């Protein structure tokens, strides 16, 4: 089977209720290593944003240091969806209100990238901003309003 010409990239952000090293964030922080390992081993996983520690909690893409950023690339939307909502990742996702304040604007954006392209945080933030300003389009979209991969 041929490698897909396009992969799906995603960014998601969250506003922490407390600094990452605060005792209230300990249950969240304790899950990072296992959730990241699960992502790395999941079918369709290509890449995820991380620093030397193996997670992205120290990467600041926003001036507000309480905003955590997560980015990854997957071989397909279905692979990303399976990991996000049908794996052990779903439990901490359901518990997110313990650690993160709800945000009024979109916190997740998806977009297609050429296979082999690794987006940087500026690209991810720009895609999320575009979604927030213009709604779902082929440039940035959501799981609920998906767009097909470009035709070469």
């Amino acid at each position: 089977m041929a490698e897909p010409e396009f992969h799906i990239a995603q960014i998601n952000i969250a506003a922490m209720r407390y600094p990452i090293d605060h005792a209230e964030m300990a249950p969240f922080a304790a899950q990072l290593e296992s959730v990241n390992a699960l992502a790395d081993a999941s079918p369709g996983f290509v890449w995820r944003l991380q620093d030397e520690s193996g997670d992205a909690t120290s990467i600041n893409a926003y001036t507000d240091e309480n905003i955590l950023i997560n980015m990854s690339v997957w071989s397909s939307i279905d692979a990303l969806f399976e990991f996000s909502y049908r794996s052990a990742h779903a439990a901490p996702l359901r518990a997110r209100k313990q650690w993160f304040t709800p945000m009024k604007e979109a916190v997740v954006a998806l977009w297609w990238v050429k296979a082999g392209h690794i987006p940087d945080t500026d690209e991810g933030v720009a895609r999320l901003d575009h979604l927030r300003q213009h709604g779902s389009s082929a440039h940035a979209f959501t799981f609920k309003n998906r767009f097909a991969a470009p035709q070469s």
Side-chain angles (χ1 to χ4, degrees):
M1 190 167 153
E3 269 297 306
E5 190 172 340
F6 289 90
H7 289 159
I8 194 74
Q10 72 82 27
I11 179 173
N12 67 82
I13 63 170
M16 294 185 292
R17 291 186 181 276
Y18 309 94
I20 192 68
D21 58 355
H22 190 281
E24 294 291 331
M25 293 299 289
F28 169 77
Q31 298 177 72
L32 285 172
E33 188 174 340
S34 63
V35 169
N36 287 333
L38 176 64
D40 294 348
S42 291
F45 172 81
V46 175
W47 168 87
R48 67 180 168 82
L49 181 66
Q50 59 184 303
D51 61 18
E52 305 78 41
S53 72
D55 64 48
T57 57
S58 70
I59 298 172
N60 294 324
Y62 291 88
T63 53
D64 183 345
E65 292 183 7
N66 285 328
I67 304 278
L68 286 185
I69 181 173
N70 176 285
M71 291 177 58
S72 58
V73 175
W74 296 77
S75 63
S76 70
I77 289 179
D78 291 339
L80 173 58
F81 186 87
E82 287 295 315
F83 166 73
S84 298
Y85 300 105
R86 295 196 176 133
S87 74
H89 174 266
L93 190 60
R94 284 189 301 271
R96 68 185 174 269
K97 289 181 182 172
Q98 295 176 43
W99 309 300
F100 303 101
T101 59
M103 298 175 84
K104 293 187 183 341
E105 296 180 291
V107 296
V108 176
L110 311 175
W111 70 99
W112 293 103
V113 295
K114 283 269 197 189
H117 174 71
I118 301 299
D120 62 19
T121 57
D122 289 342
E123 180 179 345
V125 168
R127 296 290 179 143
L128 182 58
D129 287 347
H130 188 275
L131 176 67
R132 287 173 162 187
Q133 292 171 13
H134 305 286
S136 284
S137 68
H139 188 74
F141 51 93
T142 65
F143 280 118
K144 289 183 181 178
N145 297 304
R146 298 178 184 193
F147 284 76
Q151 298 296 312
S152 302

